Amino acid sequence: MLEVTNLRAGYGAINVLWDLSLTVETGKLTTIIGPNGAGKSTLLRAVMGLIPVTQGSISLHGKPLNGTPTWEMNQLSMAMIPEGRMTFRDMTVEENLMMGAFAPQHRAQATANLEKSYAMFPRLRERRKQLAGSLSGGEAQMLAMARGLMSDPKLLIIDEPSLGLAPVMVNELFEILARLKQEGRTMILVEQNTHRAVGVADHVYLMQSGKVVLSQAACDVSLDHLHDLYFAR
Ligand code: ATP
């Protein structure tokens, strides 16, 4: 279980997250939704140790996570798939995937995990020698997802994967998320596609201006109410 308690974090003198608390249950998909600028990516950056925490705590299975360097996070079986794909454009698809298993403790499993990635994303196998920079947006997102899975993480953090994708690719993406959920992985999904995110999630948090304004089991969420809060109507 990942627990965030009374968190404040931001960028230098600018505070973005205000006393934010949330819980991510093991084996469940928790979605964090909210409008542009709500602080969703900032929260993920704070969890991953990419920005300092100025107040509060983050813990994983009861152990403090604050202060853990980002490069040690995958030893804790955590991986983040960042917003904007962030693939290595001048490397091939397969080289990008191997980078996901670059840490020494993952190298022995790299070949087996590569096969698993190709089984889950057959188009990446077809394009394994192609430069990542020449992939379509949808293919690049699949590559970013597959690279994140190369270390076989138990906790997968995914930032706005559907951004800019065509509807058919969005469908494919959410099918993959449903499969990853069935595998029993713990996932944090940041999304703006509220309808699809609520559909796949176990628990929903809605953020506004750096705060949680709704925390509810996905099965209890009314999309109308959610959208009222989302658009502050
Ligand atoms: P989006 O859905 O548009 O990605 P978000 O909810 O993820 O939005 P954040 O990216 O976390 O929002 O941004 C929250 C606030 O922090 C915004 O006001 C943004 O301008 C600010 N911010 C983000 N990154 C930085 C940065 N590197 N330096 C200063 N301010 C930043």
Side-chain angles (χ1 to χ4, degrees):
M1 184 205 281
L2 180 91
E3 196 138 29
V4 174
T5 311
N6 273 329
L7 192 73
R8 284 196 188 191
Y11 306 93
I14 304 164
N15 195 62
V16 174
L17 305 177
W18 294 96
D19 308 332
L20 187 142
S21 298
L22 56 79
T23 302
V24 174
E25 297 286 345
T26 302
K28 304 285 185 197
L29 194 157
T30 299
T31 190
I32 301 170
I33 54 190
N36 292 122
K40 306 179 296 297
S41 298
T42 302
L43 170 62
L44 300 189
R45 285 183 203 127
V47 169
M48 292 302 293
L50 292 164
I51 56 168
V53 162
T54 52
Q55 178 198 288
S57 65
I58 306 167
S59 67
L60 184 65
H61 307 309
K63 294 192 183 136
L65 206 57
N66 318 32
T68 306
T70 306
W71 57 89
E72 284 178 12
M73 299 264 173
N74 79 355
Q75 289 177 19
L76 302 173
S77 204
M78 294 171 66
M80 178 160 160
I81 299 166
E83 184 179 349
R85 342 292 191 216
M86 304 256 182
T87 57
F88 299 102
R89 297 177 58 81
D90 295 330
M91 293 167 73
T92 65
V93 164
E94 192 153 300
E95 286 165 347
N96 267 272
L97 289 174
M98 292 310 278
M99 290 304 286
F102 186 73
Q105 70 272 22
H106 300 308
R107 289 182 199 165
Q109 286 303 311
T111 309
N113 286 338
L114 187 67
E115 270 313 305
K116 278 193 209 162
S117 290
Y118 284 149
M120 187 170 275
F121 304 95
R123 209 161 326 148
L124 295 182
R125 189 197 296 277
E126 285 166 27
R127 297 179 190 274
R128 64 187 187 280
K129 301 285 175 220
Q130 189 172 323
L131 291 183
S134 65
L135 295 177
S136 72
E139 290 163 352
Q141 184 60 49
M142 296 306 164
L143 176 58
M145 300 273 296
R147 186 183 55 190
L149 289 166
M150 281 292 290
S151 59
D152 201 13
K154 290 199 176 75
L155 172 59
L156 194 57
I157 299 177
I158 315 171
D159 196 357
E160 299 212 24
S162 76
L163 197 69
L165 297 188
V168 63
M169 290 309 299
V170 173
N171 288 343
E172 206 171 306
L173 174 79
F174 276 91
E175 276 166 28
I176 297 279
L177 291 172
R179 277 169 67 184
L180 292 172
K181 188 175 150 175
Q182 275 170 5
E183 287 178 2
R185 290 183 206 267
T186 308
M187 286 188 279
I188 303 176
L189 172 68
V190 161
E191 258 299 333
Q192 292 207 35
N193 189 332
T194 51
H195 171 68
R196 299 304 298 262
V198 171
V200 76
D202 295 293
H203 197 91
V204 178
Y205 286 98
L206 174 65
M207 282 181 68
Q208 278 277 17
S209 308
K211 296 178 182 165
V212 168
V213 295
L214 177 130
S215 165
Q216 213 167 26
C219 56
D220 294 334
V221 168
S222 144
L223 281 177
D224 283 344
H225 178 56
L226 187 75
H227 289 152
D228 284 347
L229 291 171
Y230 189 105
F231 296 111
R233 290 192 289 228

